Amino acid sequence: GAELGTTDSAITSIALDAAGARVVTVNDKTLTVWDVSQRRALWRTVVGKRPATVVFDGARVLLADKFGEVWTLTEDATRAETADAAAAIASGPEPQFQTGVVSPISAMILSAARDRLVTADSDRRIRVSLWPDAYQIEAFCMGSKSTPTVLAFACGRELLLSGGEDGSVHAWHPTSGALLALARPASDLPPSAPA
């Protein structure tokens, strides 16, 4: 069977579950879920479109592809516990469509309470959707001058942070979409003193 730390090509996305027990890796169109403590693959599946980013939602893996679609793969608990690891690796779950947008998704995050899904796209839009009903958009966070490439929640769910290709960091109110603060670390901070 496959061992954690071996792969056939470059890892393009990775996520750790909340318990730190499982890791999902993406290389090309292949998703592999690994058991961290046993350092082995639990299951692997090939999807039709190359994923841009992945996150865990309990036993589900959410993936966003470069075509603007969000999919879920629900782990079968009996498959993860099978003694035949090779069979488990060969038969990962089928992706289930959740929502789609018109632009490639560049970043995705799920709130700690797992009730909000936030996606950012290459058209510089950030959308906060209810989860698991992702078709219900709660807010748009608009105003980024470049593609947001990373998202994070801070202060519980009260603050949504986004970082972009231009090096800026935006702080948003996640339910209203209001821009609360903007920092450009490269230009806002004084130059560092030589060592």
Side-chain angles (χ1 to χ4, degrees):
E3 289 187 21
L4 191 58
T6 62
T7 184
D8 299 334
S9 64
I11 300 296
T12 57
S13 187
I14 190 168
L16 182 67
D17 74 353
R22 294 172 299 145
V23 171
V24 59
T25 58
V26 176
N27 54 327
D28 194 34
K29 295 180 182 179
T30 302
L31 276 81
T32 307
V33 173
W34 304 87
D35 181 300
V36 173
S37 64
Q38 295 182 19
R39 296 179 45 94
R40 70 173 182 88
L42 296 174
W43 55 264
R44 176 177 292 149
T45 193
V46 176
V47 294
K49 300 172 186 170
R50 183 173 292 134
T53 186
V54 291
V55 297
F56 272 101
D57 176 18
R60 291 189 292 190
V61 174
L62 280 67
L63 70 100
D65 64 35
K66 295 186 181 287
F67 293 88
E69 297 173 341
V70 176
W71 301 80
T72 56
L73 294 103
T74 302
E75 183 175 355
D76 180 348
T78 59
R79 177 185 346 224
E81 295 172 4
T82 183
D84 186 358
I89 293 169
S91 59
E94 289 293 318
Q96 301 295 314
F97 180 78
Q98 297 299 316
T99 190
V101 299
V102 296
S103 300
I105 294 176
S106 57
M108 178 174 63
I109 189 170
L110 193 62
S111 67
R114 297 183 358 207
D115 62 350
R116 300 287 186 279
L117 175 69
V118 182
T119 57
D121 65 37
S122 62
D123 286 335
R124 303 182 311 267
R125 287 183 297 246
I126 297 172
R127 71 192 47 71
V128 180
S129 302
L130 300 180
W131 184 252
D133 302 321
Y135 57 88
Q136 294 184 33
I137 298 172
E138 185 171 40
F140 282 98
C141 303
M142 307 290 279
S144 297
K145 300 293 184 212
S146 69
T147 299
T149 55
V150 65
L151 299 165
F153 278 101
C155 305
R157 295 183 344 170
E158 302 304 315
L159 194 62
L160 173 64
L161 303 174
S162 67
E165 292 176 338
D166 64 354
S168 64
V169 177
H170 293 76
W172 310 93
H173 188 279
T175 57
S176 71
L179 178 62
L180 303 174
L182 170 62
R184 293 183 179 87
S187 59
D188 292 347
L189 297 176
S192 58

